[in-house]
Amino acid sequence: MDINRTDRENITILTLSGRLDLGNGNKLKETVKGILGTDRTAIHLNLRDVEFVNSSGLGALVSIMKEVRLNRGRLTLSDMADYVREIFDITQLSHIFEIYTTEEEAFNSFQPANII
Amino acid sequence: MSDHQYRYSSDMASEETMFNDLERILAANNIVGKLANDLKLAVSEAFTNAMIHGNRLEANKNVTINISINNDLIIADIIDEGTGDPGRVSKTEDPELWQERGRGVILMETMADRVSFQRDHISGGLQCTLMFVRKRYDNIKQKSALKAGQGG
């Protein structure tokens, strides 16, 4: 899996491509841990090019979410393929993640006027 | 009809090798779309379980995958060399949302038409059998085509 990082204002955007499974989930956890270590706690994951996710990948995302919250940060997701979204729905994880249709919507949600 | 058998050592690198082999089998048998996605997910869950919970990531223990494909059914057996009890496979009905594990069997049961666990008489390990009925996916294909026709 490739992880492409872009920093936009105080938000770190990671665009993922490939499979989010056991091995790649660990790689993503390490990447996010490194980012949190630099005090950047607003993180967005763009899943546009994620073609596959399994329970190990979902577990990695839950772990990341917990780590971000522990650091008083915020994690958003966007651009899920229909099949990936279906897996989030089956496992009910769509209830605990902030999922946006597009990266732009997610980015806008971080702006002060839009924070509820 | 085609039969395929692969064997993998229980180390993390095997996950990618297995996935690539599986994609090759599916492509060679023209299995695409939702059926391919569901199969990949279910086999991947069973494989990870076999490697981690069955073989405890001991590289000298193997995971064997047998896949049999015909016009009606696709059957995948995923066999480890551990000591797991078929009657004690974790089937968390409703995992707590913040739990990092416990979703594998649920996903397998959602994707496959039948999931069963039994003792493998050759390795002595646990065998997970996943069965997919192809007709179910023909109906999905027909519905999608109908929907596309109505939309266009």
Side-chain angles (χ1 to χ4, degrees):
Chain A
M1 186 178 71
D2 289 327
I3 303 172
N4 184 26
R5 174 177 173 170
T6 317
D7 289 345
R8 196 170 162 190
E9 297 174 13
N10 63 331
I11 301 150
T12 302
I13 298 166
L14 300 178
T15 303
L16 315 179
S17 60
R19 294 192 286 262
L20 187 47
D21 52 17
L22 181 65
N24 291 327
N26 288 338
K27 181 178 167 184
L28 182 62
K29 279 200 278 189
E30 287 307 309
T31 303
V32 172
K33 213 171 180 180
I35 294 165
L36 292 172
T38 60
D39 284 338
R40 291 183 67 87
T41 59
I43 295 175
H44 175 68
L45 303 180
N46 184 325
L47 306 181
R48 185 182 58 216
D49 297 319
V50 171
E51 64 206 35
F52 175 85
V53 61
N54 64 11
S55 68
S56 304
L58 293 175
L61 291 177
V62 171
S63 165
I64 287 166
M65 172 71 114
K66 288 198 241 182
E67 197 71 27
V68 168
R69 288 198 165 192
L70 212 59
N71 283 272
R72 296 175 186 277
R74 191 171 155 218
L75 176 75
T76 56
L77 312 178
S78 75
D79 295 85
M80 281 183 191
D82 289 348
Y83 191 74
V84 172
R85 176 67 200 227
E86 191 185 327
I87 295 164
F88 271 77
D89 290 340
I90 290 167
T91 54
Q92 299 188 43
L93 286 177
S94 32
H95 294 307
I96 64 165
F97 283 98
E98 279 188 68
I99 301 172
Y100 291 89
T101 308
T102 65
E103 182 179 307
E104 201 57 31
E105 282 176 25
F107 177 78
N108 289 336
S109 77
F110 279 95
Q111 304 312 306
N114 294 324
I115 293 175
I116 300 164
Chain B
M1 176 161 176
S2 66
D3 291 305
H4 310 266
Q5 183 176 70
Y6 290 93
R7 186 163 290 146
Y8 306 92
S9 67
S10 298
D11 60 61
M12 297 287 277
S14 294
E15 188 184 28
E16 183 160 8
T17 313
M18 182 283 295
F19 208 95
N20 292 338
D21 289 337
L22 185 57
E23 287 200 319
R24 217 172 14 250
I25 295 169
L26 297 179
N29 287 277
N30 199 25
I31 295 168
V32 294
K34 183 159 171 55
L35 174 56
N37 285 336
D38 288 358
L39 236 157
K40 282 191 272 187
L41 181 56
V43 170
S44 146
E45 296 298 347
F47 181 79
T48 308
N49 278 350
M51 209 168 62
I52 296 177
H53 302 300
N55 293 346
R56 300 187 182 280
L57 286 175
E58 291 172 31
N60 62 329
K61 289 186 176 174
N62 295 315
V63 178
T64 303
I65 299 185
N66 297 318
I67 298 182
S68 174
I69 301 169
N70 66 31
N71 290 334
D72 300 318
L73 298 174
I74 301 174
I75 296 174
D77 293 319
I78 298 90
I79 306 157
D80 65 42
E81 296 176 358
T83 55
D85 178 351
R88 297 192 63 182
V89 175
S90 166
K91 291 185 185 178
T92 315
E93 288 297 326
D94 188 15
E96 197 267 313
L97 284 178
W98 290 96
Q99 225 171 271
E100 290 167 37
R101 291 181 171 189
R103 299 180 179 91
V105 178
I106 292 169
L107 285 173
M108 278 190 257
E109 289 183 337
T110 305
M111 299 304 160
D113 290 282
R114 188 184 295 169
V115 182
S116 61
F117 296 91
Q118 55 271 314
R119 171 88 43 225
D120 177 60
H121 296 297
I122 299 167
S123 72
L126 195 67
Q127 174 177 323
C128 170
T129 300
L130 305 166
M131 189 178 86
F132 290 82
V133 178
R134 300 187 76 165
K135 199 174 175 183
R136 175 162 68 94
Y137 292 88
D138 290 342
N139 294 339
I140 292 169
K141 257 194 281 182
Q142 279 168 6
K143 274 185 196 164
S144 304
L146 200 64
K147 221 184 228 178
Q150 284 169 348

